[in-house]
Amino acid sequence: MAATAPPLIPADVRSRLRGLRLLPQRASGSRGSGMHASRSRGAGLEFAQYRAYEPGDELRQIDWKLYARSDRFFVRESERESPLTVWLLLDTTASMAQADQARRDWTRLDAACALAACVTELALQQGDAFGLVAIGGEGLRLVPAGHGLRQRDRLHLQLHALRAQGRWPAQERLAPVWERIAAHDLVVMIGDGFDEAAIELAERLARAGRDVVHLQLLTAEERDFPFRDGHRFRDPETGEELLSDGATVRADYLARFAEARRTLDARLQAAGIRHDTGFLDEAIDAPLQRLAGRRGGRGA
């Protein structure tokens, strides 16, 4: 008899999630069919304005008569009430297999999957659609957006099956991201924040009208650098190794790492991307709770 996979969300975390809401950054106005569905511009009945075409817009929204006159694509927008679609973009490259020596059975990917399950729970509570795109060495693994408990089960099965391997794929292999994720969808990216291509994707999604949240996961050892003696450091994606004395390089490492985090924070803030960093020795939902606190309420 096959062993049952452990729950992705512990009972105490699930209890805390009941007090959170997953709010889009651009939300405003009245309620629609999701808990926070807001007045937004979309493919409704009453015409509001034109805007330039963005990747992910439906072809039926293009005004072809205006295209014939201007030789440019424009989309007709109207005021409508719309529920939210939440997309989870998970980094499953080899670096996500990293764990702390104090807890080798709890990897960065384990934490990422648990955090993704938390976001799924919030979307489920609110009646919103949610889907998954896992990006790693094998390319993309996709769970199309859907609603309800069966959708949550499908997503949980995929999360349990994920493995950390390989490197971030070439840009041309990311086409399904643009085919599936529409303008104004909420994108929650979860990874270590070390891949330049992943950060560039977050910035491109934000520029194209997607509401992006970036959740970075780091080990406690990356934060504290507790190594004191000779240690062999290995890059899991390139295989490069560095043999060094921990005590000698500790101060320089901590200064450089802090500067790298400040640079990433500033870069994401400039792009309008909400961001938080979680650590493997924290509660799974800590990044979501901090984001909620910075909004001044219980919205993540």
Side-chain angles (χ1 to χ4, degrees), residues 50-106:
Y50 289 107
R51 64 165 171 80
Y53 172 84
E54 297 173 348
D57 287 332
E58 297 181 19
L59 293 180
R60 63 185 177 85
Q61 291 179 251
I62 295 176
D63 191 307
W64 296 104
K65 291 182 179 180
L66 186 57
Y67 168 73
R69 296 197 301 270
S70 66
D71 199 32
R72 294 179 61 192
F73 291 112
F74 289 94
V75 171
R76 292 171 59 93
E77 285 194 325
S78 60
E79 294 287 352
R80 65 179 172 91
E81 291 187 348
S82 172
L84 187 66
T85 297
V86 181
W87 285 96
L88 288 149
L89 262 64
L90 258 65
D91 179 354
T92 62
T93 58
S95 62
M96 295 296 288
Q98 189 168 349
D100 291 310
Q101 292 184 8
R103 189 182 177 187
R104 294 184 179 276
D105 63 339
W106 181 245

Side-chain angles (χ1 to χ4, degrees), residues 8 12 23 41 47 63 76 94 100 112 115 123 130 135 141 144 149 154 183 193 206 229 235-236 253 298:
L8 288 166
D12 60 327
L23 297 177
R41 298 192 182 276
F47 174 72
D63 191 307
R76 292 171 59 93
D100 291 310
L115 187 54
F130 48 94
I135 305 176
R141 300 181 71 171
L149 293 173
R154 282 192 289 269
D229 301 319
D235 187 318
Y253 164 85
R298 299 300 289 166

Side-chain angles (χ1 to χ4, degrees), residues 286-297:
L288 297 175
Q289 298 290 346
R290 283 192 290 266
L291 284 174
R294 286 199 287 272
R295 287 183 66 102

